[in-house]
Amino acid sequence: METNYHVPVLLQACIDGLNIKPDGVYVDVTFGGGGHSREILKHLGDKGVLIAFDQDPDAQRNKIDDPRFRFVDQNFAFLKNNLRLLGFKKVDGILADLGVSSHQFNEPERGFSTRFESTLDMRMDKQGELTAATVLNTYSEEQLHRIFGIYGEVKNAKSLAKAVVTARVSQPINTLAEFKSAIASHIPKGKEHKYMAQVFQALRIEVNKEIEVLERFLEQTAEVLNPGGRLVVMSYHSLEDRPVKNFIAKGKVRGEVDKDFYGNQLKPFNVVTRKAVVADENELVDNSRSRSAKLRIGEKI
């Protein structure tokens, strides 16, 4: 018996949000397993082009054999320059699905998940020098306090930072087991999973400079999108969603919208989604990670 393929709500919202023209040029800046890219290609004609970015070597295994497809082995912070190298000054749509791919979470040696005993790596770009272990073993107590507090929103960030600095004097913290041992007395009972997820989020954001990269990317989107082109961004926590929401609404990641001499607003986008699009109940059952997902869409003026 033939079964119909059900496209998840958020994936369908991404595709609808791009408002794809068959002969347009589109960019998927977070290629990962290639799910979004494959869906975009279904809507492109023979003259359409899809450019995918991913700095993770593992993502290259998922490259799509299609003449309309181009793969860029780079971080999307370098969006504009790489598009120009490919001969594209302007594009018709940009999609970003932020956060860690399921593949990265499921590979124990990558160190992204608290489910596996492993070394504390967390690099999305395996060529990068900074690892989570390096952060824990070399950053000052003040730096760790800031990272845990701001990036992880950890309530006892100050005492957690102190525990790390104290523990590493006698032994470097290189593995998940060593880290848990060092901070055991600071992990709230009954909330171990949520607490460690917050701490890991903080380390991952620092290792990959995720907020800085996101801000650089957003600023470039306004330069490379054609008028009427769409920016579609899915984020997974408030630290990502806030600058995305601000940029689409005001053309800046923070602060108020700029105005000209006559008081007219100078902003590059019109807001397409007044409220963020979120997963429905069916998608939450199929994919628990979608619970925190927020999708926002802007259209270039």
Side-chain angles (χ1 to χ4, degrees):
M1 190 175 93
E2 193 176 40
T3 57
N4 291 323
Y5 169 61
H6 172 67
V7 179
V9 168
L10 287 173
L11 173 56
Q12 188 61 57
C14 287
I15 302 304
D16 293 344
L18 284 170
N19 198 22
I20 298 171
K21 297 184 295 185
D23 60 349
V25 179
Y26 295 87
V27 189
D28 176 358
V29 299
T30 48
F31 179 65
H36 287 103
S37 283
R38 286 182 174 82
E39 207 62 38
I40 292 169
L41 284 168
K42 290 178 186 176
H43 294 75
L44 289 178
D46 292 341
K47 293 183 179 178
V49 176
L50 174 62
I51 302 156
F53 281 67
D54 208 301
Q55 63 185 344
D56 189 337
D58 290 344
Q60 297 201 37
R61 300 177 197 164
N62 306 316
K63 281 198 283 192
I64 302 167
D65 184 14
D66 189 303
R68 301 167 297 172
F69 181 77
R70 318 268 198 283
F71 184 83
V72 180
D73 179 19
Q74 286 282 339
N75 186 300
F76 60 74
F78 307 108
L79 173 70
K80 182 179 171 182
N81 284 346
N82 279 284
L83 288 178
R84 292 201 166 185
L85 285 171
L86 290 173
F88 298 97
K89 287 187 178 180
K90 297 286 184 180
V91 300
D92 299 297
I94 300 171
L95 169 65
D97 183 359
L98 306 173
V100 185
S101 71
S102 298
H103 169 75
Q104 288 169 328
F105 267 126
N106 294 331
E107 289 286 317
E109 67 272 12
R110 301 299 296 273
F112 285 109
S113 176
T114 59
R115 289 179 293 145
F116 310 109
E117 172 52 26
S118 65
T119 54
L120 295 166
D121 191 317
M122 300 195 197
R123 290 172 298 169
M124 290 184 181
D125 177 4
K126 291 181 180 178
Q127 307 301 314
E129 293 182 4
L130 187 65
T131 67
T134 306
V135 171
L136 290 171
N137 288 300
T138 65
Y139 277 31
S140 69
E141 187 175 326
E142 290 75 21
Q143 286 174 303
L144 291 171
H145 177 198
R146 179 183 62 83
I147 291 165
F148 293 141
I150 296 175
Y151 293 163
E153 298 175 302
V154 176
K155 290 182 179 176
N156 62 350
K158 188 175 179 66
S159 58
L160 177 65
K162 187 175 183 63
V164 170
V165 172
T166 302
R168 74 191 189 193
V169 172
S170 53
Q171 180 189 347
I173 302 170
N174 292 316
T175 67
L176 176 58
E178 289 166 353
F179 185 35
K180 281 184 173 178
S181 174
I183 65 171
S185 62
H186 297 269
I187 303 174
K189 297 291 183 286
K191 297 182 179 178
E192 291 88 353
H193 179 72
K194 182 182 179 183
Y195 184 82
M196 289 304 297
Q198 288 176 283
V199 172
F200 262 47
Q201 173 181 292
L203 290 169
R204 192 197 76 225
I205 289 173
E206 176 62 21
V207 167
N208 298 289
K209 306 298 179 192
E210 291 178 28
I211 305 305
E212 294 96 316
V213 165
L214 174 60
E215 291 180 2
R216 285 172 62 188
F217 158 71
L218 289 170
E219 285 161 3
Q220 291 172 68
T221 62
E223 297 178 56
V224 301
L225 275 168
N226 279 317
R230 294 286 185 86
L231 171 63
V232 179
V233 185
M234 187 140 60
S235 60
Y236 293 87
H237 53 78
S238 59
L239 290 171
E240 292 172 339
D241 182 52
R242 202 174 300 123
V244 171
K245 181 181 179 181
N246 256 358
F247 189 78
I248 291 176
K250 302 174 182 178
K252 300 168 76 173
V253 293
R254 59 183 65 82
E256 291 306 311
V257 64
D258 290 331
K259 295 181 180 180
D260 66 14
F261 180 76
Y262 300 100
N264 300 308
Q265 292 187 338
L266 300 171
K267 57 179 188 175
F269 290 97
N270 282 324
V271 177
V272 175
T273 48
R274 291 291 163 194
K275 280 189 171 182
V277 180
V278 297
D280 67 358
E281 289 181 12
N282 291 330
E283 190 159 359
L284 291 173
V285 171
D286 294 339
N287 177 14
S288 61
R289 284 187 65 217
S290 67
R291 184 173 302 280
S292 57
K294 287 187 175 181
L295 177 68
R296 297 191 186 274
I297 304 166
E299 183 173 282
K300 179 71 186 300
I301 295 171

